Amino acid sequence: MTSILERYAERRPRAADVATAVAVCVCTLLGARISTSESTPPHALWPAWILVASSAAVLGSRSHPRATLAVTTAAAAALTALGYLPSPLLLAPVMTALYWLAARTDSRTTGIYAAATVTVLMATSLAGAPLGDDLILRTAGTVLWLLLPVSLGGRSRFRRAYLESVQARAAHAERTREEEARLRVAEERLRIARELHDAVAHHMAVAHAQAGTAAHLAETHPEQTRKILADLVGTTTSALLELRATVGVLRRTAGPDTDPLEPAPGLDRLPDLVASCASAGLTVTVATEGPARPLSPGVDLTAYRIIQEALTNATKHAPDHTARVRLHYDTARLLVSVTNDGAAHETAVPPVPGGGYGLMGMRERAHSVGGDLRAGPRPEGGFEVAAVLPLRPRTAADYPAGPRPEESR
């Protein structure tokens, strides 16, 4: 019932204040007629104006609880000093003011004002009537009736604070959920963009080189031209298949009848990559050091994509049309390096204004599995891409407390 009245008072505060003032006025008029065998209320009419003033002051209890309490306490003190019994009906204006004081202010302020009110009313009540059987009503009764609205008002304040904290937590959780969703969408867009770049850029670079070579040899070496054109068909077919597999991730549903997509490429497809580069005129040598160790799918894909992007750059920029791939298997990591004797790749000829996405994508791939990558000109000439990748990608549990390495960059 209390919560229902509070909700109604919040929706229609003015109507609630008027209704409260009228009810308090009626209660006070009835309380002025209550007496005991030891006390008889005065019969003068002028105290009625005090009751009206006290009840009217209740209209401001919501916005000015301290002033309202002072006015109602003064009116109640005047009545009890005249010999009126401090019954709960007579103290209704003071009790209303105490409720709103406890509901609108802090506990310390409420305690100070409530103690002063109880002291004043007990003193005037005892001074206005001789001691008798109603001593308990004028002392303990006054204290209990005045503490009741203080308790109810404090409960209302705590309840309102609790609801506000729940709403704040819900709003924070909603914002956090939206931010997490936006972050996941951004990460997925970045991953798809990286896959499209690695797949399309490599095959298009190789196809461009094959087409240029075929055009150059068309008249003088027709047999070799036909072989290059056949390789060109294979290159474009591979590009279409990888593009279809990447875009198919966006169209794939979670149904049980969904056709599985082509497995992600790994180092087992390195010979095919070398062959496609050879058909484009780039001679690639591969050296493996140490016994080959099994790689996780993420690290396997990362190593393949880094080599693929590095060879794509070498196809476009290496003047001697040669490149060297070195794989060194350690106990817990894989070292990948791709070198050539040509000019700097994307640092020399950026594909788009503001820098190259190939080198940036390679770094992002290496960091995503807990590795690292550096790329730049070699001291003896040429260009080198070197990556250090763990055999197993690091998880959140592997990181110590604090920001992750890639988050601190």
Side-chain angles (χ1 to χ4, degrees):
M1 179 62 70
T2 303
S3 60
I4 296 176
L5 294 177
E6 288 179 352
R7 287 196 295 269
Y8 178 80
E10 291 176 356
R11 290 195 301 268
R12 300 178 179 274
R14 180 53 57 185
D17 291 343
V18 172
T20 302
V22 173
V24 166
C25 182
V26 173
C27 291
T28 309
L29 291 174
L30 294 177
R33 309 307 303 170
I34 297 178
S35 63
T36 63
S37 58
E38 299 293 333
S39 64
T40 301
H43 297 285
L45 297 177
W46 66 268
W49 294 103
I50 300 178
L51 300 177
V52 174
S54 177
S55 301
V58 174
L59 292 173
S61 59
R62 187 191 301 269
S63 57
H64 301 86
R66 296 177 180 85
T68 302
L69 180 61
V71 172
T72 55
T73 300
L79 293 177
T80 54
L82 293 174
Y84 286 91
L85 183 68
S87 65
L89 295 178
L90 188 71
L91 298 178
V94 182
M95 296 172 65
T96 304
L98 280 174
Y99 171 84
W100 285 111
L101 180 72
R104 296 290 182 177
T105 60
D106 57 278
S107 301
R108 183 174 180 273
T109 301
T110 302
I112 293 175
Y113 277 83
T117 301
V118 170
T119 302
V120 169
L121 292 181
M122 284 183 59
T124 57
S125 179
L126 293 176
L131 298 179
D133 294 340
D134 58 355
L135 177 63
I136 300 299
L137 296 177
R138 294 181 180 276
T139 55
T142 301
V143 174
L144 294 177
W145 287 118
L146 293 181
L147 290 182
L148 177 61
V150 173
S151 175
L152 294 177
R155 176 179 174 274
S156 175
R157 184 180 72 251
F158 291 138
R159 178 176 176 275
R160 185 168 58 252
Y162 171 75
L163 293 178
E164 290 176 356
S165 66
V166 169
Q167 293 173 357
R169 288 196 298 268
H172 176 71
E174 185 66 23
R175 289 194 302 270
T176 304
R177 188 159 50 246
E178 292 176 356
E179 292 172 0
E180 181 68 18
R182 286 195 296 267
L183 179 60
R184 290 183 180 276
V185 170
E187 291 177 348
E188 185 64 13
R189 290 177 60 185
L190 181 61
R191 186 190 68 81
I192 294 174
R194 196 161 50 218
E195 289 291 334
L196 288 174
H197 175 274
D198 291 347
V200 176
H202 168 73
H203 291 296
M204 291 301 101
V206 173
H208 177 76
Q210 290 173 333
T213 304
H216 180 71
L217 300 177
E219 296 182 358
T220 58
H221 299 79
E223 293 295 332
Q224 189 175 356
T225 300
R226 282 193 291 271
K227 182 180 182 303
I228 293 176
L229 292 177
D231 293 338
L232 178 60
V233 173
T235 301
T236 55
T237 301
S238 299
L240 291 174
L241 290 176
E242 288 207 27
L243 183 61
R244 177 186 176 186
T246 303
V247 176
V249 174
L250 302 177
R251 298 179 176 176
R252 181 175 52 182
T253 61
D257 299 331
T258 304
D259 294 334
L261 299 176
E262 182 181 355
L267 292 180
D268 57 332
R269 290 176 55 177
L270 189 57
D272 298 335
L273 179 62
V274 172
S276 66
C277 292
S279 65
L282 179 68
T283 303
V284 182
T285 58
V286 180
T288 302
E289 301 175 0
R293 298 178 180 273
L295 305 175
S296 67
V299 175
D300 199 14
L301 173 63
T302 298
Y304 176 84
R305 290 302 191 194
I306 289 175
I307 296 174
Q308 183 185 52
E309 178 62 25
L311 292 180
T312 300
N313 290 339
T315 302
K316 295 185 289 186
H317 301 294
D320 59 351
H321 302 292
T322 60
R324 295 173 294 281
V325 177
R326 174 173 168 264
L327 301 174
H328 178 78
Y329 288 91
D330 204 344
T331 55
R333 60 182 184 172
L334 169 65
L335 283 73
V336 179
S337 66
V338 180
T339 58
N340 66 81
D341 297 327
H345 298 167
E346 297 186 61
T347 56
V349 185
V352 294
Y357 288 121
L359 296 181
M360 181 174 65
M362 286 191 287
R363 289 192 182 93
E364 291 174 350
R365 283 188 179 277
H367 294 163
S368 67
V369 295
D372 197 7
L373 181 139
R374 62 176 180 85
R378 302 165 59 202
E380 61 273 18
F383 197 83
E384 180 180 26
V385 175
V388 179
L389 306 176
L391 298 183
R392 288 288 182 272
R394 300 181 67 178
T395 62
D398 298 326
Y399 290 97
R404 295 188 180 186
E406 59 267 27
E407 294 175 349
S408 60
R409 290 185 172 86

